[in-house]
Amino acid sequence: MNFSFEVKKSAGARRARLTTPHGVVETPAFLPVGTAASVKALTQEALEELGAEIILANTYHLYLRPGHELIRNLGGLHRFMAWPRAILTDSGGYQVFSLSELRKVTDQGVRFRSHLDGSEHLLTPEKAAEVQLALGSDIAMVLDECIETPAPRDAAEAAVKRTTEWARRARKYFLDCASRNGDLAQWQFGIVQGATFANLRRESARQLLELDFPGYAVGGLAVGEPHAITCEMTAEVTALLPPERPRYLMGVGRPEQLADYVSLGIDMMDCVLPTRAARHACLYTSEGRVLIRNARYAQDQRPVDPACSCTVCRRYSRAYLRHLFAAGEITAAILATHHNVHFYLDIMRQIREAIEFGNLAKFSSAMHARYAAGPS
Amino acid sequence: MNFSFEVKKSAGARRARLTTPHGVVETPAFLPVGTAASVKALTQEALEELGAEIILANTYHLYLRPGHELIRNLGGLHRFMAWPRAILTDSGGYQVFSLSELRKVTDQGVRFRSHLDGSEHLLTPEKAAEVQLALGSDIAMVLDECIETPAPRDAAEAAVKRTTEWARRARKYFLDCASRNGDLAQWQFGIVQGATFANLRRESARQLLELDFPGYAVGGLAVGEPHAITCEMTAEVTALLPPERPRYLMGVGRPEQLADYVSLGIDMMDCVLPTRAARHACLYTSEGRVLIRNARYAQDQRPVDPACSCTVCRRYSRAYLRHLFAAGEITAAILATHHNVHFYLDIMRQIREAIEFGNLAKFSSAMHARYAAGPS
C-alpha cells in the first residue's frame, strides 16, 4: 500500500511526512475545505499554485449530489474534480447533524432528510465507509455520533459508546472489503469523541486504539467551547495516541491557534474559516484581521498584507478589494479566498520550519500577540 | 501622443494594429466587459493569460461607485484595478437609459437617480468626458442619446440631432482640456446613432465626421432588431467612415456574428454575452452552445469543447462543470467564464488570421453552419 507516515521530529510538536497514493503531504498540514468537490472560489490550478498538498471533501454533500456512484463511474473523486493530490473525506456524520432535517439516530445509523430535496436516507457506519470507498479518497473517516454542545455527561457518554460501536462496524466493513478486493488505496481514520469530559475523551481514545486505525482524529471540538478547553481535550487524547500514526484535529482553527494545536501533537487540521471568512470580506494578515469593507480602506493603496508574497498582495490594493466587495463582484471572493488560503498554508510552512528550528513556542506567542493587537 | 492606428489589410474586413499608451491591440479585437472595473469571475492574471489586450469598463458604474475622483486620486483606472493593458470606457449614456430611475433628458444632459442609492445626478456631455479623463482610460466615448427600440422616425431623428450636439460639446470640452493640459493620453471616439433608418445613420455619421474624432463607434444596434438589419445599418455607416481610423461596433455579438461585423469593416466589438452566458451555464464551443446544466452531461467525461486549448478544457470534464453549476459553486462561474472569454478571443485570433490569408468568408460560413447545427 502506497501509504506511510514518517515522523521526523517529535517532541510535543511533530514534523512528519505523510505519503499517499496521491503524493506527499508535509505535516503539520492544513487542509482547505472543498465541501462539494470544490474549494469555493478557487480553481484546482490555484490550489496547486498555493501549494495545497491535501484537501478535504464532504461525503454528505457528494453522496447527495452528484452521488457517489456517479463519481465512482467517472473514475473516482480525484479524476472527477481533476485534483491529482491527496484528498481526505469526512464521513458525513457532522453534516447530517448540522444540515439535514428530521434526523433520527438509532444504533443502526442516522436516518435523515436531504437538505436539498427532502429525500430520506439512512447513513450507517457501513454506508459511510462504502461511499468513501466509491469516492476513492486517500483518507476516509468513520461515521461518528456528533452531539449538541455543551452536552450533559450522560449524552456524551452514550455518544462515545455509539461512536466506538460504529467505528468497530466501519473498521470491519473496510477490512472485509480489503480482504475481498486487495489493496483499497485508502486509509481509514477513527474519530475520538467525548465532548469536554477528559475521562470520556481518554475512554474513547482507548477503545478506538483497540480497532487499530492507521490514523486518529479528534472530533467534536472547536464547536463553541473556550480555546483552553479545546487544547486541554486535545492534549488528553494525543497523550494516548501512538506517536507513529497521524493525528487530525477536525474543524480548526483560527490562524493564531494553529500552532497551539500543533504543539499538542496534532499533524492535520481543516477549517472552513479561511474560505468562508474570505467570502465575508474578512482577510487574515500577519498583523491580524482586515475587515476590508471598512471605509478606512477606501483609498488604501497598500496590499492586503504588506508582508505577504501571494499573487493578490503582489498585485492588488486594499482599495480595489474593498471596491470589489462593495460592488458585489465575484472576483472579490476569488482574490480574498486566494489570499486567505495562502495565509493559512504559509502559517503551516512557518510552523513546520519553526519545529525544525525548535522555536515553535516563539512563533506561536508572536502570532497571538499580533492577533491580540489587531491590524495597524 | 502614444496612439496610432495602422491598417495593414483593408478590403471590407480590416486587419490593423491599434497602439495605445497601454500596449498594442491587434484588431479586429473583442473587448471583454469589466463593468465595475472587473471582468466578472476573472482575475486580471487570468485576463492576461487569456490574451486580452483591451477591456471595457463602465463610466456609469465607476462614477457612482467608487467614484471617479477616488480613482483619479489612486492614480487612474489602470492602477486602481491593476490592469496594465488598454481600457476603453463608455460614456455612461447607455447605462443611464437602461439602469437608472426617473431619468429626464434635456438638451443640457440626462438627469437620473442612481440605481444604487437613489441619489440624483446630472450627466452632461462635458461631465461624461470629465469622468473618463479622471478614470484615465485609453479610449473614451462621447455621451450619446440612447432611445428605446424600435423607435419611431421622429424620435430617432431628434436623438441623432441631440447626439451630434452632445458630441460637439464633448469634443470641445476634451480639446479645451487638451489645450490647457497638453497630451491627455486618451482618444475620444464619437458614436453614430440613427436607429434602423439608413439615412439617419448616414446623416449622423456625416455630422460626426465634421468633429474629426480619431475613431468612430456605431451605437444603438443589436438591441433587438434582426441581425440582417444590424449588418445593414453597420454597412451604411462604415461606408462613410475614414478607412484610416478605428471603427467600434458597440455591444455585439453572438460568436457566429463576429465575423459578419468584421467583414463590414468593424475593428472593435464588446459584449457581455460570453461572461454573462457563462454565469448562466451557457458555454460557447466550436460546435455550438453547450447548456451545461443539461442532464445529458451528467456523466460526460469530455471537455466542454474537445477542440479548445483553454486551461478549463485541458483539465475539467463536462460532468464536473455540470456538478459545479448544480451545486451553486463560485468555481462554476470562474471556469465557465474563463472558457467563454477564451472562445471569443480565440475567434478573434482566427478572424485576424483568416483576414491575412484572405479566407474570412469561408471561416464565417463555417461558424454559421456549426452554430445552426448545434452541439453534438
Side-chain angles (χ1 to χ4, degrees), chain A residues 300-305 308-321 331 335 338-339, chain B residues 42-49 52 55 77-85:
Chain A
D300 193 336
Q301 304 232 43
R302 288 175 298 170
V304 169
D305 185 351
C308 178
S309 65
C310 85
T311 53
V312 176
C313 288
R314 284 206 303 261
R315 182 161 196 158
Y316 303 99
S317 67
R318 295 176 180 187
Y320 183 60
L321 259 80
T331 314
L335 298 181
H338 196 98
H339 168 80
Chain B
L42 292 184
T43 64
Q44 276 69 302
E45 291 90 324
L47 282 168
E48 285 177 348
E49 179 198 320
I55 62 171
L77 187 54
H78 291 88
R79 186 156 167 205
F80 178 66
M81 66 181 293
W83 174 250
R85 301 184 184 175

mmCIF file of all heavy atoms in Angstrom, chain A residues 300-305 308-321 331 335 338-339, chain B residues 42-49 52 55 77-85:
data_model
loop_
_atom_site.group_PDB
_atom_site.id
_atom_site.type_symbol
_atom_site.label_atom_id
_atom_site.label_comp_id
_atom_site.label_asym_id
_atom_site.label_seq_id
_atom_site.Cartn_x
_atom_site.Cartn_y
_atom_site.Cartn_z
ATOM 1 N N ASP A 300 -6.867 53.094 0.389
ATOM 2 C CA ASP A 300 -5.637 52.473 0.891
ATOM 3 C C ASP A 300 -4.945 51.714 -0.239
ATOM 4 O O ASP A 300 -5.425 50.681 -0.697
ATOM 5 C CB ASP A 300 -5.993 51.540 2.051
ATOM 6 C CG ASP A 300 -4.765 51.091 2.830
ATOM 7 O OD1 ASP A 300 -3.649 51.096 2.250
ATOM 8 O OD2 ASP A 300 -4.920 50.735 4.008
ATOM 9 N N GLN A 301 -3.815 52.240 -0.655
ATOM 10 C CA GLN A 301 -3.118 51.650 -1.800
ATOM 11 C C GLN A 301 -2.238 50.473 -1.415
ATOM 12 O O GLN A 301 -1.636 49.835 -2.281
ATOM 13 C CB GLN A 301 -2.246 52.714 -2.479
ATOM 14 C CG GLN A 301 -3.008 53.935 -2.918
ATOM 15 C CD GLN A 301 -2.746 54.271 -4.388
ATOM 16 O OE1 GLN A 301 -2.722 53.405 -5.244
ATOM 17 N NE2 GLN A 301 -2.555 55.545 -4.649
ATOM 18 N N ARG A 302 -2.116 50.206 -0.125
ATOM 19 C CA ARG A 302 -1.261 49.097 0.291
ATOM 20 C C ARG A 302 -1.911 47.767 -0.057
ATOM 21 O O ARG A 302 -3.126 47.663 -0.176
ATOM 22 C CB ARG A 302 -1.031 49.165 1.810
ATOM 23 C CG ARG A 302 -0.113 50.276 2.251
ATOM 24 C CD ARG A 302 -0.039 50.334 3.762
ATOM 25 N NE ARG A 302 -1.346 50.626 4.337
ATOM 26 C CZ ARG A 302 -1.620 50.550 5.643
ATOM 27 N NH1 ARG A 302 -0.684 50.170 6.489
ATOM 28 N NH2 ARG A 302 -2.821 50.840 6.089
ATOM 29 N N PRO A 303 -1.092 46.728 -0.194
ATOM 30 C CA PRO A 303 -1.685 45.400 -0.365
ATOM 31 C C PRO A 303 -2.390 44.985 0.925
ATOM 32 O O PRO A 303 -2.181 45.592 1.980
ATOM 33 C CB PRO A 303 -0.488 44.501 -0.647
ATOM 34 C CG PRO A 303 0.705 45.257 -0.185
ATOM 35 C CD PRO A 303 0.362 46.714 -0.248
ATOM 36 N N VAL A 304 -3.236 43.959 0.823
ATOM 37 C CA VAL A 304 -3.940 43.447 1.995
ATOM 38 C C VAL A 304 -2.954 43.209 3.132
ATOM 39 O O VAL A 304 -3.183 43.622 4.260
ATOM 40 C CB VAL A 304 -4.678 42.135 1.643
ATOM 41 C CG1 VAL A 304 -5.177 41.449 2.900
ATOM 42 C CG2 VAL A 304 -5.832 42.428 0.689
ATOM 43 N N ASP A 305 -1.856 42.554 2.817
ATOM 44 C CA ASP A 305 -0.830 42.278 3.822
ATOM 45 C C ASP A 305 0.530 42.592 3.207
ATOM 46 O O ASP A 305 1.024 41.850 2.367
ATOM 47 C CB ASP A 305 -0.893 40.797 4.237
ATOM 48 C CG ASP A 305 0.072 40.487 5.369
ATOM 49 O OD1 ASP A 305 0.912 41.360 5.711
ATOM 50 O OD2 ASP A 305 -0.003 39.379 5.915
ATOM 51 N N CYS A 308 2.974 39.862 2.813
ATOM 52 C CA CYS A 308 2.546 38.626 2.140
ATOM 53 C C CYS A 308 3.084 38.570 0.713
ATOM 54 O O CYS A 308 3.131 39.586 0.016
ATOM 55 C CB CYS A 308 1.017 38.567 2.130
ATOM 56 S SG CYS A 308 0.337 37.141 1.276
ATOM 57 N N SER A 309 3.446 37.377 0.292
ATOM 58 C CA SER A 309 4.014 37.211 -1.049
ATOM 59 C C SER A 309 3.030 36.607 -2.039
ATOM 60 O O SER A 309 3.417 36.216 -3.135
ATOM 61 C CB SER A 309 5.254 36.319 -0.959
ATOM 62 O OG SER A 309 4.863 35.014 -0.532
ATOM 63 N N CYS A 310 1.748 36.515 -1.672
ATOM 64 C CA CYS A 310 0.795 35.871 -2.582
ATOM 65 C C CYS A 310 0.518 36.762 -3.783
ATOM 66 O O CYS A 310 0.793 37.963 -3.777
ATOM 67 C CB CYS A 310 -0.499 35.507 -1.852
ATOM 68 S SG CYS A 310 -1.716 36.835 -1.729
ATOM 69 N N THR A 311 -0.041 36.162 -4.823
ATOM 70 C CA THR A 311 -0.252 36.897 -6.070
ATOM 71 C C THR A 311 -1.245 38.049 -5.881
ATOM 72 O O THR A 311 -1.169 39.048 -6.592
ATOM 73 C CB THR A 311 -0.777 35.963 -7.188
ATOM 74 O OG1 THR A 311 -1.920 35.267 -6.699
ATOM 75 C CG2 THR A 311 0.284 34.966 -7.603
ATOM 76 N N VAL A 312 -2.147 37.926 -4.930
ATOM 77 C CA VAL A 312 -3.112 39.001 -4.668
ATOM 78 C C VAL A 312 -2.398 40.197 -4.040
ATOM 79 O O VAL A 312 -2.584 41.341 -4.463
ATOM 80 C CB VAL A 312 -4.256 38.497 -3.768
ATOM 81 C CG1 VAL A 312 -5.207 39.632 -3.401
ATOM 82 C CG2 VAL A 312 -5.012 37.370 -4.466
ATOM 83 N N CYS A 313 -1.587 39.926 -3.040
ATOM 84 C CA CYS A 313 -0.880 41.021 -2.366
ATOM 85 C C CYS A 313 0.198 41.643 -3.246
ATOM 86 O O CYS A 313 0.576 42.791 -3.045
ATOM 87 C CB CYS A 313 -0.289 40.520 -1.048
ATOM 88 S SG CYS A 313 -1.568 40.236 0.204
ATOM 89 N N ARG A 314 0.696 40.870 -4.200
ATOM 90 C CA ARG A 314 1.696 41.430 -5.102
ATOM 91 C C ARG A 314 1.075 42.366 -6.129
ATOM 92 O O ARG A 314 1.764 43.185 -6.729
ATOM 93 C CB ARG A 314 2.452 40.307 -5.823
ATOM 94 C CG ARG A 314 3.478 39.608 -4.926
ATOM 95 C CD ARG A 314 4.608 38.995 -5.744
ATOM 96 N NE ARG A 314 4.123 38.065 -6.740
ATOM 97 C CZ ARG A 314 4.114 36.746 -6.602
ATOM 98 N NH1 ARG A 314 4.590 36.184 -5.500
ATOM 99 N NH2 ARG A 314 3.658 35.957 -7.555
ATOM 100 N N ARG A 315 -0.232 42.260 -6.329
ATOM 101 C CA ARG A 315 -0.840 42.996 -7.441
ATOM 102 C C ARG A 315 -1.905 44.017 -7.054
ATOM 103 O O ARG A 315 -1.975 45.101 -7.637
ATOM 104 C CB ARG A 315 -1.453 41.995 -8.419
ATOM 105 C CG ARG A 315 -2.088 42.644 -9.648
ATOM 106 C CD ARG A 315 -2.261 41.662 -10.764
ATOM 107 N NE ARG A 315 -2.512 42.314 -12.037
ATOM 108 C CZ ARG A 315 -2.299 41.750 -13.218
ATOM 109 N NH1 ARG A 315 -1.823 40.524 -13.277
ATOM 110 N NH2 ARG A 315 -2.543 42.404 -14.329
ATOM 111 N N TYR A 316 -2.761 43.662 -6.099
ATOM 112 C CA TYR A 316 -3.965 44.458 -5.864
ATOM 113 C C TYR A 316 -3.888 45.241 -4.552
ATOM 114 O O TYR A 316 -3.269 44.808 -3.593
ATOM 115 C CB TYR A 316 -5.188 43.556 -5.852
ATOM 116 C CG TYR A 316 -5.364 42.748 -7.122
ATOM 117 C CD1 TYR A 316 -4.952 41.425 -7.184
ATOM 118 C CD2 TYR A 316 -5.928 43.329 -8.253
ATOM 119 C CE1 TYR A 316 -5.104 40.679 -8.350
ATOM 120 C CE2 TYR A 316 -6.081 42.599 -9.425
ATOM 121 C CZ TYR A 316 -5.672 41.268 -9.466
ATOM 122 O OH TYR A 316 -5.816 40.545 -10.618
ATOM 123 N N SER A 317 -4.592 46.362 -4.538
ATOM 124 C CA SER A 317 -4.609 47.209 -3.340
ATOM 125 C C SER A 317 -5.824 46.880 -2.478
ATOM 126 O O SER A 317 -6.807 46.294 -2.936
ATOM 127 C CB SER A 317 -4.668 48.680 -3.752
ATOM 128 O OG SER A 317 -5.917 48.955 -4.371
ATOM 129 N N ARG A 318 -5.750 47.309 -1.221
ATOM 130 C CA ARG A 318 -6.912 47.218 -0.340
ATOM 131 C C ARG A 318 -8.084 47.994 -0.923
ATOM 132 O O ARG A 318 -9.236 47.560 -0.844
ATOM 133 C CB ARG A 318 -6.560 47.780 1.036
ATOM 134 C CG ARG A 318 -5.500 46.975 1.757
ATOM 135 C CD ARG A 318 -5.121 47.618 3.079
ATOM 136 N NE ARG A 318 -4.089 46.833 3.755
ATOM 137 C CZ ARG A 318 -3.653 47.074 4.980
ATOM 138 N NH1 ARG A 318 -4.146 48.098 5.680
ATOM 139 N NH2 ARG A 318 -2.723 46.318 5.520
ATOM 140 N N ALA A 319 -7.799 49.165 -1.502
ATOM 141 C CA ALA A 319 -8.864 49.988 -2.075
ATOM 142 C C ALA A 319 -9.624 49.213 -3.158
ATOM 143 O O ALA A 319 -10.853 49.257 -3.227
ATOM 144 C CB ALA A 319 -8.279 51.272 -2.666
ATOM 145 N N TYR A 320 -8.884 48.483 -3.991
ATOM 146 C CA TYR A 320 -9.534 47.737 -5.067
ATOM 147 C C TYR A 320 -10.349 46.577 -4.500
ATOM 148 O O TYR A 320 -11.492 46.349 -4.917
ATOM 149 C CB TYR A 320 -8.492 47.245 -6.073
ATOM 150 C CG TYR A 320 -9.092 46.519 -7.255
ATOM 151 C CD1 TYR A 320 -9.994 47.155 -8.096
ATOM 152 C CD2 TYR A 320 -8.764 45.202 -7.523
ATOM 153 C CE1 TYR A 320 -10.555 46.493 -9.179
ATOM 154 C CE2 TYR A 320 -9.312 44.529 -8.600
ATOM 155 C CZ TYR A 320 -10.206 45.180 -9.431
ATOM 156 O OH TYR A 320 -10.760 44.513 -10.501
ATOM 157 N N LEU A 321 -9.772 45.853 -3.537
ATOM 158 C CA LEU A 321 -10.534 44.744 -2.939
ATOM 159 C C LEU A 321 -11.798 45.252 -2.254
ATOM 160 O O LEU A 321 -12.863 44.638 -2.366
ATOM 161 C CB LEU A 321 -9.666 43.944 -1.954
ATOM 162 C CG LEU A 321 -9.145 42.651 -2.579
ATOM 163 C CD1 LEU A 321 -7.954 42.909 -3.464
ATOM 164 C CD2 LEU A 321 -8.863 41.607 -1.539
ATOM 165 N N THR A 331 -15.133 38.426 -8.322
ATOM 166 C CA THR A 331 -13.681 38.492 -8.188
ATOM 167 C C THR A 331 -13.260 38.825 -6.760
ATOM 168 O O THR A 331 -12.161 38.461 -6.335
ATOM 169 C CB THR A 331 -13.113 39.530 -9.182
ATOM 170 O OG1 THR A 331 -13.736 39.313 -10.452
ATOM 171 C CG2 THR A 331 -11.615 39.356 -9.354
ATOM 172 N N LEU A 335 -10.242 36.691 -5.073
ATOM 173 C CA LEU A 335 -8.991 37.266 -4.571
ATOM 174 C C LEU A 335 -8.868 37.075 -3.057
ATOM 175 O O LEU A 335 -7.801 36.726 -2.549
ATOM 176 C CB LEU A 335 -8.902 38.753 -4.942
ATOM 177 C CG LEU A 335 -8.875 39.075 -6.447
ATOM 178 C CD1 LEU A 335 -8.758 40.584 -6.660
ATOM 179 C CD2 LEU A 335 -7.731 38.355 -7.149
ATOM 180 N N HIS A 338 -8.120 33.443 -2.258
ATOM 181 C CA HIS A 338 -6.739 33.133 -2.627
ATOM 182 C C HIS A 338 -5.782 33.612 -1.533
ATOM 183 O O HIS A 338 -4.916 32.863 -1.073
ATOM 184 C CB HIS A 338 -6.407 33.792 -3.965
ATOM 185 C CG HIS A 338 -5.185 33.244 -4.622
ATOM 186 N ND1 HIS A 338 -5.231 32.300 -5.616
ATOM 187 C CD2 HIS A 338 -3.874 33.491 -4.410
ATOM 188 C CE1 HIS A 338 -4.002 31.993 -5.990
ATOM 189 N NE2 HIS A 338 -3.159 32.710 -5.280
ATOM 190 N N HIS A 339 -5.978 34.847 -1.123
ATOM 191 C CA HIS A 339 -5.094 35.376 -0.081
ATOM 192 C C HIS A 339 -5.212 34.580 1.218
ATOM 193 O O HIS A 339 -4.207 34.209 1.826
ATOM 194 C CB HIS A 339 -5.362 36.850 0.201
ATOM 195 C CG HIS A 339 -4.667 37.315 1.436
ATOM 196 N ND1 HIS A 339 -3.333 37.636 1.432
ATOM 197 C CD2 HIS A 339 -5.097 37.424 2.718
ATOM 198 C CE1 HIS A 339 -2.958 37.939 2.677
ATOM 199 N NE2 HIS A 339 -4.014 37.822 3.468
ATOM 200 N N LEU B 42 -13.263 36.797 -13.423
ATOM 201 C CA LEU B 42 -11.886 36.631 -13.903
ATOM 202 C C LEU B 42 -10.952 37.590 -13.169
ATOM 203 O O LEU B 42 -11.267 38.764 -13.002
ATOM 204 C CB LEU B 42 -11.793 36.915 -15.401
ATOM 205 C CG LEU B 42 -12.480 35.931 -16.349
ATOM 206 C CD1 LEU B 42 -12.204 36.326 -17.788
ATOM 207 C CD2 LEU B 42 -11.998 34.498 -16.095
ATOM 208 N N THR B 43 -9.809 37.079 -12.770
ATOM 209 C CA THR B 43 -8.788 37.971 -12.244
ATOM 210 C C THR B 43 -8.049 38.616 -13.412
ATOM 211 O O THR B 43 -8.139 38.167 -14.551
ATOM 212 C CB THR B 43 -7.767 37.203 -11.396
ATOM 213 O OG1 THR B 43 -7.083 36.268 -12.253
ATOM 214 C CG2 THR B 43 -8.445 36.446 -10.258
ATOM 215 N N GLN B 44 -7.314 39.656 -13.110
ATOM 216 C CA GLN B 44 -6.523 40.293 -14.154
ATOM 217 C C GLN B 44 -5.420 39.346 -14.654
ATOM 218 O O GLN B 44 -5.047 39.384 -15.826
ATOM 219 C CB GLN B 44 -5.946 41.606 -13.634
ATOM 220 C CG GLN B 44 -6.889 42.791 -13.733
ATOM 221 C CD GLN B 44 -8.099 42.767 -12.817
ATOM 222 O OE1 GLN B 44 -8.907 41.839 -12.855
ATOM 223 N NE2 GLN B 44 -8.250 43.784 -11.985
ATOM 224 N N GLU B 45 -4.902 38.487 -13.776
ATOM 225 C CA GLU B 45 -3.942 37.475 -14.207
ATOM 226 C C GLU B 45 -4.568 36.574 -15.264
ATOM 227 O O GLU B 45 -3.932 36.231 -16.263
ATOM 228 C CB GLU B 45 -3.487 36.592 -13.029
ATOM 229 C CG GLU B 45 -2.631 37.281 -11.991
ATOM 230 C CD GLU B 45 -3.467 37.896 -10.875
ATOM 231 O OE1 GLU B 45 -4.580 38.404 -11.143
ATOM 232 O OE2 GLU B 45 -2.989 37.883 -9.732
ATOM 233 N N ALA B 46 -5.806 36.166 -15.012
ATOM 234 C CA ALA B 46 -6.495 35.288 -15.964
ATOM 235 C C ALA B 46 -6.690 36.004 -17.296
ATOM 236 O O ALA B 46 -6.482 35.416 -18.365
ATOM 237 C CB ALA B 46 -7.835 34.831 -15.390
ATOM 238 N N LEU B 47 -7.073 37.290 -17.246
ATOM 239 C CA LEU B 47 -7.273 38.057 -18.481
ATOM 240 C C LEU B 47 -5.973 38.158 -19.277
ATOM 241 O O LEU B 47 -5.977 38.062 -20.504
ATOM 242 C CB LEU B 47 -7.777 39.464 -18.155
ATOM 243 C CG LEU B 47 -9.262 39.569 -17.811
ATOM 244 C CD1 LEU B 47 -9.558 40.938 -17.223
ATOM 245 C CD2 LEU B 47 -10.124 39.319 -19.044
ATOM 246 N N GLU B 48 -4.873 38.347 -18.571
ATOM 247 C CA GLU B 48 -3.574 38.399 -19.256
ATOM 248 C C GLU B 48 -3.267 37.064 -19.908
ATOM 249 O O GLU B 48 -2.845 36.991 -21.061
ATOM 250 C CB GLU B 48 -2.473 38.768 -18.259
ATOM 251 C CG GLU B 48 -2.471 40.235 -17.877
ATOM 252 C CD GLU B 48 -1.415 40.576 -16.834
ATOM 253 O OE1 GLU B 48 -0.831 39.651 -16.231
ATOM 254 O OE2 GLU B 48 -1.196 41.781 -16.597
ATOM 255 N N GLU B 49 -3.483 36.001 -19.139
ATOM 256 C CA GLU B 49 -3.207 34.649 -19.649
ATOM 257 C C GLU B 49 -4.078 34.358 -20.869
ATOM 258 O O GLU B 49 -3.646 33.698 -21.815
ATOM 259 C CB GLU B 49 -3.493 33.644 -18.528
ATOM 260 C CG GLU B 49 -3.279 32.188 -18.911
ATOM 261 C CD GLU B 49 -3.993 31.253 -17.918
ATOM 262 O OE1 GLU B 49 -3.966 31.536 -16.706
ATOM 263 O OE2 GLU B 49 -4.583 30.252 -18.382
ATOM 264 N N ALA B 52 -6.191 38.897 -23.455
ATOM 265 C CA ALA B 52 -6.975 40.118 -23.675
ATOM 266 C C ALA B 52 -6.022 41.309 -23.752
ATOM 267 O O ALA B 52 -5.181 41.488 -22.870
ATOM 268 C CB ALA B 52 -7.979 40.312 -22.546
ATOM 269 N N ILE B 55 -9.836 45.897 -22.545
ATOM 270 C CA ILE B 55 -11.127 45.579 -21.935
ATOM 271 C C ILE B 55 -11.961 46.849 -21.866
ATOM 272 O O ILE B 55 -11.443 47.962 -22.031
ATOM 273 C CB ILE B 55 -10.974 44.968 -20.522
ATOM 274 C CG1 ILE B 55 -10.306 45.962 -19.575
ATOM 275 C CG2 ILE B 55 -10.205 43.651 -20.575
ATOM 276 C CD1 ILE B 55 -10.312 45.508 -18.130
ATOM 277 N N LEU B 77 -7.617 54.449 -13.477
ATOM 278 C CA LEU B 77 -8.263 53.136 -13.511
ATOM 279 C C LEU B 77 -7.280 51.986 -13.709
ATOM 280 O O LEU B 77 -7.417 50.922 -13.091
ATOM 281 C CB LEU B 77 -9.321 53.129 -14.621
ATOM 282 C CG LEU B 77 -10.221 51.901 -14.724
ATOM 283 C CD1 LEU B 77 -10.900 51.596 -13.392
ATOM 284 C CD2 LEU B 77 -11.264 52.110 -15.822
ATOM 285 N N HIS B 78 -6.265 52.194 -14.567
ATOM 286 C CA HIS B 78 -5.300 51.111 -14.784
ATOM 287 C C HIS B 78 -4.650 50.708 -13.471
ATOM 288 O O HIS B 78 -4.556 49.526 -13.145
ATOM 289 C CB HIS B 78 -4.214 51.542 -15.772
ATOM 290 C CG HIS B 78 -4.704 51.728 -17.173
ATOM 291 N ND1 HIS B 78 -5.223 52.920 -17.615
ATOM 292 C CD2 HIS B 78 -4.764 50.875 -18.225
ATOM 293 C CE1 HIS B 78 -5.571 52.792 -18.903
ATOM 294 N NE2 HIS B 78 -5.307 51.566 -19.287
ATOM 295 N N ARG B 79 -4.196 51.693 -12.726
ATOM 296 C CA ARG B 79 -3.523 51.400 -11.476
ATOM 297 C C ARG B 79 -4.513 50.856 -10.451
ATOM 298 O O ARG B 79 -4.210 49.915 -9.721
ATOM 299 C CB ARG B 79 -2.854 52.678 -10.956
ATOM 300 C CG ARG B 79 -2.013 52.406 -9.750
ATOM 301 C CD ARG B 79 -0.932 53.445 -9.557
ATOM 302 N NE ARG B 79 -0.365 53.282 -8.227
ATOM 303 C CZ ARG B 79 0.223 54.262 -7.555
ATOM 304 N NH1 ARG B 79 0.331 55.465 -8.091
ATOM 305 N NH2 ARG B 79 0.712 54.039 -6.365
ATOM 306 N N PHE B 80 -5.700 51.457 -10.402
ATOM 307 C CA PHE B 80 -6.713 51.045 -9.430
ATOM 308 C C PHE B 80 -7.025 49.559 -9.561
ATOM 309 O O PHE B 80 -7.077 48.817 -8.577
ATOM 310 C CB PHE B 80 -7.983 51.882 -9.623
ATOM 311 C CG PHE B 80 -9.116 51.505 -8.713
ATOM 312 C CD1 PHE B 80 -9.015 51.688 -7.338
ATOM 313 C CD2 PHE B 80 -10.289 50.969 -9.225
ATOM 314 C CE1 PHE B 80 -10.066 51.347 -6.491
ATOM 315 C CE2 PHE B 80 -11.344 50.630 -8.390
ATOM 316 C CZ PHE B 80 -11.229 50.815 -7.019
ATOM 317 N N MET B 81 -7.236 49.127 -10.794
ATOM 318 C CA MET B 81 -7.609 47.719 -10.985
ATOM 319 C C MET B 81 -6.420 46.839 -11.349
ATOM 320 O O MET B 81 -6.590 45.644 -11.607
ATOM 321 C CB MET B 81 -8.736 47.590 -12.022
ATOM 322 C CG MET B 81 -8.360 47.984 -13.432
ATOM 323 S SD MET B 81 -9.788 47.811 -14.604
ATOM 324 C CE MET B 81 -10.020 46.028 -14.631
ATOM 325 N N ALA B 82 -5.214 47.408 -11.326
ATOM 326 C CA ALA B 82 -4.002 46.641 -11.597
ATOM 327 C C ALA B 82 -4.060 45.952 -12.955
ATOM 328 O O ALA B 82 -3.754 44.768 -13.097
ATOM 329 C CB ALA B 82 -3.738 45.626 -10.478
ATOM 330 N N TRP B 83 -4.468 46.725 -13.942
ATOM 331 C CA TRP B 83 -4.561 46.222 -15.315
ATOM 332 C C TRP B 83 -3.680 47.094 -16.198
ATOM 333 O O TRP B 83 -4.016 48.260 -16.450
ATOM 334 C CB TRP B 83 -6.013 46.265 -15.804
ATOM 335 C CG TRP B 83 -6.201 45.902 -17.246
ATOM 336 C CD1 TRP B 83 -6.558 46.744 -18.259
ATOM 337 C CD2 TRP B 83 -6.049 44.610 -17.844
ATOM 338 N NE1 TRP B 83 -6.640 46.059 -19.449
ATOM 339 C CE2 TRP B 83 -6.327 44.742 -19.226
ATOM 340 C CE3 TRP B 83 -5.688 43.351 -17.346
ATOM 341 C CZ2 TRP B 83 -6.262 43.662 -20.113
ATOM 342 C CZ3 TRP B 83 -5.634 42.276 -18.221
ATOM 343 C CH2 TRP B 83 -5.921 42.434 -19.588
ATOM 344 N N PRO B 84 -2.550 46.573 -16.641
ATOM 345 C CA PRO B 84 -1.595 47.416 -17.361
ATOM 346 C C PRO B 84 -1.901 47.598 -18.842
ATOM 347 O O PRO B 84 -1.259 48.403 -19.501
ATOM 348 C CB PRO B 84 -0.274 46.656 -17.181
ATOM 349 C CG PRO B 84 -0.687 45.221 -17.052
ATOM 350 C CD PRO B 84 -2.041 45.211 -16.399
ATOM 351 N N ARG B 85 -2.865 46.845 -19.348
ATOM 352 C CA ARG B 85 -3.153 46.929 -20.787
ATOM 353 C C ARG B 85 -4.260 47.953 -21.058
ATOM 354 O O ARG B 85 -4.714 48.628 -20.152
ATOM 355 C CB ARG B 85 -3.502 45.538 -21.314
ATOM 356 C CG ARG B 85 -2.365 44.535 -21.086
ATOM 357 C CD ARG B 85 -2.661 43.172 -21.685
ATOM 358 N NE ARG B 85 -1.575 42.236 -21.339
ATOM 359 C CZ ARG B 85 -1.575 40.942 -21.636
ATOM 360 N NH1 ARG B 85 -2.595 40.409 -22.285
ATOM 361 N NH2 ARG B 85 -0.555 40.163 -21.286
#
